[in-house]
Amino acid sequence: MQFKWIYKPLTPEETLTAQELGEKLTISPILAQLLLQRGINTESAAKRFFRPQLADLINPFLMKDMDLAVDRLNDAMGRKERILVYGDYDVDGCTAVALVYKFLQQFYSNIDYYIPDRYDEGYGISKKGLQYAQETGVKLIIILDCGIKAVDEIAYAKSLGIDFIICDHHVPDEVMPPAVAILNPKREDDSYPFKNLCGCGVGFKLMQAFAKNNGIPFSRLIPLLDFCAVSIAADLVPVVDENRILAFHGLKQLNQNPSIGLKAIIDICGLQGRELSMSDIVFKIGPRINASGRMESGKESVDLLVERDFSVALKQAEHIDEYNEQRKDVDRQVSEEANQIVERIESQRHQSSIVLYDEGWKKGVIGIVASRMTEIYFRPTVVLTRDGDYATGSARSIAGFDIYSAIKSCRDLLVNFGGHTYACGLTLRWDDIPEFRRRFQKYVDDHIQPEQTEANLSIDAVVDFKDITKRLYADLKRFAPFGPDNPKPMFATLNVYDYGTSKVVGRDQEHIKLELVDSKSSNVLSGIAFGQSQSARYIKSKRAFDIAYTLEENVFKRGMVQLQIEDIRPSESE
């Protein structure tokens, strides 16, 4: 893949600011530059960034309807009403349900939880779910990570005498459901200062408000922060402001004293005994929580997350791990078929978007496939499968393009849709796919910028090997947790050479293990370039080349820093 490197050097004024900031904080100019690029240009802002404090969490009662939600929850508990915690079947929904259920269960026993079946009931509030609530005597449903568009369903529930508190983060419609309270920072009439909470984050704010109102110490909430970290990482929300505080302390909890269910998943993943990062959640923990909802029932994941007996949790985690293996097989098959369709329909490669559909694709993996297509082709992508007379599917976007608005522009063709800037779910009639595809592609053509469909690599700083020290790496770790809007810093070094010992490695000889020197020092640095063996011949030719990379700890040599090389290109001087 040919990346276009994007690097904007600091202006003279910014260089001076970075120098002053570095001196005040006693950090290197490189780190001060990274802070400036993240919009942090004062000593106090830098200290808040490096030391996120739970005391800086926003007052939950600033969220619209929070007082109504807490009052209704207090009334339900005072009247001994049955409460149902209801959530989506993905990681965000399952962790949100686990968090709210586990916290309330400490103070109240007449409580239950429910996750709809992706295949039998579909997304959000289902008839079967409401029937279960009615049959079990539920009077209040707290719904998490969905519900913001369920106008008819919540109106029907109201007629049955069932109230709803909605905790959602997806973009609302103009008409909102007749719930007792709607907690959603994306409401246009909500002045809550931070708009990018995940569903679990909104659930946490409800529990924070409930605790505050009832004189429950905040310390009782801290053991549940590991769920927040898992959900923030897996749902790919911006890791800034309040999310950064929750993720920072959630990771701390995950590493020091994780909940029993998460500890079982950590053991099954083989991650025990090492410091866990957001990447471990994204690539190891999150997919396993997702797997049961993708293959069978998401309720099994919540069963695991709320389990109190470690031996039982370990068996449940093993079962979910089997689902994950099945998911990977199905995912691989569908991805290959989708790729073949794109390759076959040559015109797709020249269009600004991709819309794919197949009657036989498994509903639970098409979101992953849509994500993979955007990574390969750098196009907003919609992937659909058949469900009776309907097509249901997922949309994923590329950096800077609002796919929610693109889907919304076709709303008259849609039975249902919802989501946010970079990810959506949608349902439409199967026969309407050709018209949807035409109109969706027209919208993308009219609104996308050419540079958004290129493979770009944003370089944070150009450095020499002499700058790369253990101290620099230690200080870089203070920038964690990483994620959207706070990516792992990407460095570039120009005019580097093979030290003479670089070699191709891997089962299929697809990777390069490198030992490199640059033109300005005698430092020899080791690195790994995954999937870039095509560059090996050039590297061994003794000619100069440029590298873009992140800094990582060598897992085999503790304390040693290595380069994880994202791109290799011949130096311009060559």
Side-chain angles (χ1 to χ4, degrees), residues 370-381 396-398:
S371 295
R372 190 161 288 124
M373 294 298 104
T374 63
E375 291 166 5
I376 295 171
Y377 297 105
F378 293 92
R379 305 284 187 273
T381 299
R396 297 291 184 270
S397 195
I398 52 176

Side-chain angles (χ1 to χ4, degrees), residues 265-503:
I265 298 174
I266 289 166
D267 284 13
I268 289 297
C269 294
L271 294 172
Q272 64 271 45
R274 52 172 281 190
E275 186 178 357
L276 301 175
S277 68
M278 298 291 269
S279 291
D280 293 316
I281 297 171
V282 171
F283 295 109
K284 300 282 188 180
I285 297 170
R288 284 167 172 80
I289 296 173
N290 252 337
S292 63
R294 293 190 186 283
M295 305 308 295
E296 291 292 336
S297 167
K299 185 176 181 296
E300 292 184 52
S301 286
V302 181
D303 292 343
L304 167 60
L305 294 176
V306 303
E307 181 54 55
R308 297 177 179 179
D309 184 318
F310 184 70
S311 61
V312 174
L314 209 53
K315 289 177 183 174
Q316 291 171 322
E318 287 169 355
H319 191 48
I320 278 173
D321 194 52
E322 290 172 13
Y323 283 145
N324 193 48
E325 291 303 313
Q326 295 169 23
R327 188 271 307 166
K328 285 194 277 192
D329 290 340
V330 175
D331 167 22
R332 196 176 298 115
Q333 177 192 336
V334 175
S335 293
E336 287 173 5
E337 291 174 8
N339 251 321
Q340 288 167 10
I341 293 171
V342 177
E343 296 286 347
R344 193 165 64 243
I345 307 172
E346 187 59 29
S347 61
Q348 289 263 17
R349 301 193 65 132
H350 305 297
Q351 289 176 339
S352 58
S353 66
I354 294 172
V355 178
L356 303 173
Y357 55 98
D358 186 283
E359 294 191 12
W361 287 343
K362 195 170 179 70
K363 199 188 297 186
V365 302
I366 53 181
I368 304 174
V369 174
S371 295
R372 190 161 288 124
M373 294 298 104
T374 63
E375 291 166 5
I376 295 171
Y377 297 105
F378 293 92
R379 305 284 187 273
T381 299
V382 179
V383 180
L384 301 162
T385 188
R386 188 158 192 159
D387 186 4
D389 292 335
Y390 297 96
T392 183
S394 295
R396 297 291 184 270
S397 195
I398 52 176
F401 183 78
D402 184 354
I403 203 162
Y404 180 84
S405 296
I407 297 292
K408 188 177 180 180
S409 72
C410 308
R411 67 179 307 158
D412 58 301
L413 294 172
L414 304 176
V415 176
N416 198 4
F417 76 101
H420 43 81
T421 305
Y422 292 118
C424 289
L426 66 157
T427 302
L428 66 157
R429 294 191 65 79
W430 184 261
D431 294 341
D432 287 338
I433 292 178
E435 178 62 10
F436 168 79
R437 173 194 255 173
R438 185 190 68 78
R439 283 170 47 184
F440 176 78
Q441 291 180 342
K442 174 74 166 59
Y443 181 95
V444 177
D445 285 341
D446 291 344
H447 292 83
I448 204 163
Q449 301 302 312
E451 61 270 17
Q452 289 177 309
T453 62
E454 296 175 341
N456 294 323
L457 202 58
S458 293
I459 307 297
D460 290 285
V462 177
V463 301
D464 300 324
F465 281 179
K466 63 180 170 53
D467 300 317
I468 299 173
T469 62
K470 288 183 180 180
R471 167 73 189 274
L472 176 73
Y473 179 70
D475 284 343
L476 275 178
K477 290 172 77 172
R478 296 167 65 195
F479 280 73
F482 299 113
D485 290 8
N486 183 41
K488 189 170 286 189
M490 183 73 65
F491 298 105
T493 300
L494 311 180
N495 296 307
V496 304
Y497 297 87
D498 175 28
Y499 185 61
T501 48
S502 298
K503 59 184 178 181

Side-chain angles (χ1 to χ4, degrees), residues 5-16 18 33 36-37 459-462 494:
W5 292 16
I6 298 173
Y7 174 60
K8 294 179 181 176
L10 297 185
T11 64
E13 294 80 11
E14 289 171 333
T15 302
L16 185 61
Q33 177 179 334
L36 231 60
Q37 288 164 337
I459 307 297
D460 290 285
V462 177
L494 311 180

